[in-house]
Amino acid sequence: MKDCLFCKIINGEIPSTKVYEDEFVYAFNDIEPQAPHHIVIVPKKHISSANEINSDNSIYVSKIFEIIPKIAQKLGFDKNGYRVVNNCGKDGGQTVSHLHFHLMAGRQFGWPAG
Ligand code: AMP
Ligand code: ZN
């Protein structure tokens, strides 16, 4: 989609540090990491937010969650664990309107989240 930051990252218009890519999924390092490992995982199809997930596009979400343990193993934080976060909408703190999951690791995270 035109004027979408993450669509531009996916098509290479905006540079990113790629962690993983396949037909469905693109993953790259977050520019403002909140943890020693902070990876943003996005569907290659423009889906605005978790509110827009449905039976026609949920394959992208399942592909993302299939790839998470593979990234965790590759980067060596599968044993210690990690956190996966989706921010949806204004109250959820979403700043980029292209569905994405934050995969964060390398430190302990508190709960409940603030
Ligand atoms: P959210 O606040 O959940 O919408 O997350 C958006 C994330 O995208 C934030 O963690 C930003 O640091 C990250 N971000 C914004 N621009 C870039 C960029 N050009 N490259 C990598 N990550 C980015
Ligand atoms: Zn997009």
Side-chain angles (χ1 to χ4, degrees):
M1 182 191 257
K2 210 170 149 282
D3 295 335
C4 169
L5 176 67
F6 287 170
C7 283
K8 286 181 179 170
I9 284 180
I10 292 163
N11 71 27
E13 263 182 82
I14 292 176
S16 65
T17 305
K18 180 165 79 175
V19 174
Y20 176 84
E21 180 174 19
D22 65 26
E23 183 189 348
F24 292 93
V25 176
Y26 190 73
F28 53 98
N29 284 330
D30 197 291
I31 206 167
E32 275 184 59
Q34 307 296 315
H37 297 279
H38 186 166
I39 298 144
V40 180
I41 312 177
V42 304
K44 281 195 171 173
K45 179 188 174 74
H46 182 87
I47 301 168
S48 300
S49 78
N51 265 338
E52 308 304 322
I53 298 169
N54 57 45
S55 56
D56 290 333
N57 61 27
S58 60
I59 179 85
Y60 286 88
V61 180
S62 65
K63 292 290 183 187
I64 285 171
F65 276 83
E66 280 174 35
I67 219 63
I68 284 172
K70 293 188 176 147
I71 294 174
Q73 278 163 30
K74 188 172 112 181
L75 297 182
F77 55 73
D78 54 317
K79 297 285 185 297
N80 279 355
Y82 46 86
R83 178 163 289 181
V84 180
V85 172
N86 169 255
N87 298 324
C88 180
K90 181 171 66 70
D91 284 359
Q94 183 176 6
T95 60
V96 179
S97 295
H98 180 126
L99 178 67
H100 55 280
F101 295 87
H102 299 261
L103 172 58
M104 296 178 289
R107 68 171 173 89
Q108 283 203 320
F109 299 96
W111 187 262

